Amino acid sequence: MSIQTVDVVRVQGPAVSTKLGLLPLVALVVGSMIGGGVFSLPQNIAKGASPAAVMIGWLITGVGMLALAFVYQGLSRRKPALDAGPYAYARAGFGDFVGFNSAWGYWLSAWIGNVSYVVLIFGALSYFYPAFGAEGNSVQAIVGASVLLWATHALILMGIRQAAIINVLTTTAKLAPILLLIVLVTVAFRLQTFAIDLWGTETPELGSILTQVKSTMLVTLWVFIGIEGASVYSGRADKRADIGRATIIGFVIALCAYLAVSLLSFGVLTQPELAGLPAAASMANVIEQVAGPWASVAVRIGLVVSVAGAFLSWTLFAAEIPYRAAKEGILPEVFAIENGKGSPSGALWITNLLVQAFLVVTFFANSTYLALFYIASTAILVPYVLSGAYALKLAMRGEGYRPGEGRGRDLFTGAVATVYGCWLIYAAGPPYLLMCAILYVLGIPVYWWAKGKQTREAFSGLEALLAAGIVLAAAAAGYLMWAGAISAL
């Protein structure tokens, strides 16, 4: 496929290296995956499952996400000319319009998710300063979140490499309280506590083991979002081989952290006790049982640092994906503007102005924001499915392989990643998937405009049918919401 590009507007300035080595790439992967969710994991995971079901859930999730990690590792090697990960793979495999929708869905999910991160930060800080409010949407919290937003904006405008170095530091800092919990809880771990009602048979409300496993996986499916972080920044990698390495290393670090936090907690408190903890920062309550209030405070501080680091990672992603798509004429060229430091300033300004607007929305209508966030969280799974399908397509055709080179592993991992991604979308809930069409339909005129600026035909025959399908799905979702048949709240 030929790649058409648009001119990039660049503010003149000194040449600055934007290349990233292995460590910053690993930090992007870990920093984007490990945010606030790990600190709520003990309560979230125990709420609907026994220890045995949790182990089974992590086994299935680990296999599925490892397959996806291998997909991104393999694609970085098979298609080194493709940058920006999920967007580039969807476009190369299935055409411009599908590629646009992958970029559009990913971008919307990234910046709407970022609203939740800054709200969560100030909700956590309310433990120390109650004026921020437990929900993080008081006037003081919105002002503080706005300051953090634009400070991060200024940091990225100073240069991608500088922002990535800061991300390495915040990622290191966020792992410290997790390691503290692992060490202290390992020492205090009691096997007899862990073995109490191992399969949940004495807690009928948990349901069957299958029901418990499904409940567990509805939690675990979200904590690995960000596994594609190194692929998103493949265009800025110092060595192409580091993309795959960073993806696998980041996956292993995150999986070990999640396993330790969720399973070791069952050796300190029983399933009913864990399920009864406050959902937010339940890790702090677990460690307080072992080491006292000082450890709880340390974990809460770690939560703030962790979420701030994830906010930085996802701000980088939210700017990079539309920037790459705009350079190839798939989004309007305003997204392709760079400054003299090589930062994607156009995409960054648009993204953060939208984040600022939605911070105000959280003050006046928090439920409306939450509805959009849940839909956007489902939307980001679509690019994962497309990445797996593209890897499977390459392996089936032998494209990018040397004569006689084995394709068995790539066929297997591509198939597993595709099926697992489809299952995640189903597990997230068909109503949310249907309502995703509302977000995707907003992108159709944007795509039409970008294509029209280059006097190119917007839609092929199949793409026109796909666009019509999105419009119909959005209309159906709107009608069902109006009728009260489905709700995102």
Side-chain angles (χ1 to χ4, degrees):
M1 176 184 297
S2 62
I3 301 296
Q4 300 189 36
T5 60
V6 297
D7 292 333
V8 177
V9 180
R10 182 187 291 274
V11 178
Q12 295 300 317
V16 178
S17 172
T18 60
K19 295 298 183 181
L20 303 178
L22 179 61
L23 183 58
L25 290 171
V26 171
L28 280 170
V29 177
V30 175
S32 58
M33 282 195 289
I34 299 181
V38 67
F39 292 87
S40 303
L41 202 54
Q43 188 274 344
N44 291 167
I45 207 101
K47 183 170 62 174
S50 61
V54 171
M55 289 188 286
I56 295 172
W58 278 120
L59 177 62
I60 297 171
T61 300
V63 170
M65 295 310 299
L66 180 60
L68 188 59
F70 279 134
V71 160
Y72 285 119
Q73 181 190 43
L75 288 175
S76 69
R77 185 172 65 254
R78 303 291 174 199
K79 292 293 180 180
L82 297 179
D83 296 325
Y87 148 70
Y89 301 144
R91 185 190 179 203
F94 308 103
D96 284 359
F97 186 55
V98 173
F100 165 81
N101 279 288
S102 182
W104 182 257
Y106 193 97
W107 176 61
L108 286 173
S109 297
W111 70 257
I112 293 175
N114 260 358
V115 180
S116 74
Y117 277 135
V118 286
V119 168
L120 180 59
I121 287 171
F122 285 89
L125 286 174
S126 68
Y127 180 83
F128 306 102
Y129 183 62
F132 286 142
E135 299 298 324
N137 63 339
S138 67
V139 172
Q140 295 93 326
I142 299 304
V143 171
S146 300
V147 171
L148 176 61
L149 168 67
W150 294 108
T152 303
H153 179 90
L155 173 64
I156 296 174
L157 287 180
M158 291 170 59
I160 294 295
R161 184 175 179 82
Q162 287 78 0
I165 291 172
I166 298 297
N167 188 59
V168 172
L169 297 177
T170 59
T171 300
T172 303
K174 76 168 62 177
L175 291 175
I178 297 174
L179 290 174
L180 175 65
L181 175 124
I182 292 172
V183 171
L184 293 177
V185 174
T186 299
V187 173
F189 184 86
R190 298 187 300 273
L191 184 59
Q192 59 270 33
T193 301
F194 183 86
I196 292 175
D197 198 15
L198 184 63
W199 293 93
T201 54
E202 298 177 18
T203 313
E205 58 268 27
L206 291 179
S208 68
I209 193 68
L210 181 61
T211 301
Q212 294 179 52
V213 170
K214 185 178 179 181
S215 170
T216 298
M217 296 186 71
L218 290 176
V219 176
T220 61
L221 70 88
W222 303 119
V223 294
F224 280 107
I225 289 178
I227 194 171
E228 73 289 347
S231 294
V232 170
Y233 263 74
S234 57
R236 301 180 188 271
D238 188 31
K239 298 177 182 178
R240 299 295 300 193
D242 286 344
I243 300 166
R245 295 191 188 108
T247 301
I248 299 300
I249 293 171
F251 166 78
V252 171
I253 291 173
L255 179 60
C256 289
Y258 296 149
L259 283 171
V261 169
S262 57
L263 291 176
L264 289 175
S265 297
F266 282 105
V268 175
L269 298 173
T270 63
Q271 181 273 327
E273 290 172 331
L274 288 172
L277 294 176
S282 57
M283 184 196 293
N285 298 96
V286 173
I287 200 171
E288 186 171 2
Q289 297 291 322
V290 175
W294 72 269
S296 175
V297 170
V299 168
R300 293 177 191 278
I301 294 172
L303 168 62
V304 173
V305 174
S306 179
V307 177
F311 176 75
L312 174 57
S313 293
W314 280 102
T315 302
L316 288 165
F317 295 166
E320 186 72 9
I321 287 287
Y323 162 75
R324 293 289 175 181
K327 287 187 70 175
E328 296 176 357
I330 303 300
L331 275 170
E333 57 190 58
V334 64
F335 285 92
I337 296 174
E338 294 181 31
N339 68 5
K341 302 289 187 180
S343 296
S345 55
L348 190 65
W349 275 104
I350 295 170
T351 297
N352 285 341
L353 285 171
L354 286 168
V355 173
Q356 180 66 74
F358 268 68
L359 281 174
V360 176
V361 169
T362 65
F363 177 73
F364 291 103
N366 191 47
S367 61
T368 301
Y369 155 69
L370 287 176
L372 286 170
F373 173 67
Y374 291 142
I375 299 169
S377 296
T378 305
I380 205 170
L381 297 175
V382 175
Y384 290 172
V385 174
L386 293 172
S387 296
Y390 181 51
L392 181 60
K393 180 180 178 180
L394 292 181
M396 292 175 67
R397 293 184 174 183
E399 186 179 341
Y401 292 80
R402 296 186 301 273
E405 184 179 1
R407 291 178 277 161
R409 192 193 80 164
D410 291 347
L411 283 167
F412 177 75
T413 56
V416 171
T418 303
V419 172
Y420 182 67
C422 290
W423 188 91
L424 290 181
I425 292 174
Y426 169 76
Y432 287 147
L433 180 61
L434 184 61
M435 287 186 289
C436 280
I438 296 174
L439 295 181
Y440 281 110
V441 79
L442 296 174
I444 292 177
V446 177
Y447 176 72
W448 196 319
W449 178 29
K451 285 282 192 173
K453 293 281 286 185
Q454 301 167 64
T455 64
R456 289 193 283 166
E457 183 182 5
F459 303 101
S460 67
L462 288 176
E463 289 175 340
L465 289 176
L466 177 58
I470 293 173
V471 172
L472 289 174
Y479 172 76
L480 291 173
M481 291 177 68
W482 175 78
I486 61 174
S487 173
L489 301 179

